Amino acid sequence: MENRKKNEHVKCTVSQCRHNLVTDPYCSLDCISVGTHEPDPEVPECTDCNSFVKRDGCC
Ligand code: SF4
């Protein structure tokens, strides 16, 4: 099991991501990259975490 550090500044519930702590709804990266897939974002759903990496053995 990887030894990952909780980043108290980045809350995240995406447990399918390799960087998520899962047992705690936080990210383990020091820094994440956030972007959008929309030309003119207006709601949170328009944004994406571009640091997401699919967890092995997930889904
Ligand atoms: S990289 Fe993005 S999606 Fe993955 S745990 Fe961190 S904040 Fe969540």
Side-chain angles (χ1 to χ4, degrees):
M1 182 90 180
E2 270 175 89
N3 196 11
R4 293 173 304 157
K5 189 167 59 77
K6 173 176 172 175
N7 184 340
E8 304 261 2
H9 303 288
V10 184
K11 293 178 100 171
C12 179
T13 58
V14 185
S15 58
Q16 294 84 357
C17 177
R18 163 188 308 181
H19 302 303
N20 194 276
L21 292 181
V22 182
T23 52
D24 220 354
Y26 285 88
C27 183
S28 60
L29 295 179
D30 290 338
C31 176
I32 62 166
S33 174
V34 177
T36 182
H37 52 273
E38 299 287 348
D40 185 19
E42 294 186 346
V43 292
E45 288 78 9
C46 296
T47 63
D48 307 294
C49 178
N50 289 329
S51 300
F52 173 88
V53 177
K54 188 176 174 186
R55 181 181 296 282
D56 290 339
C58 158
C59 317

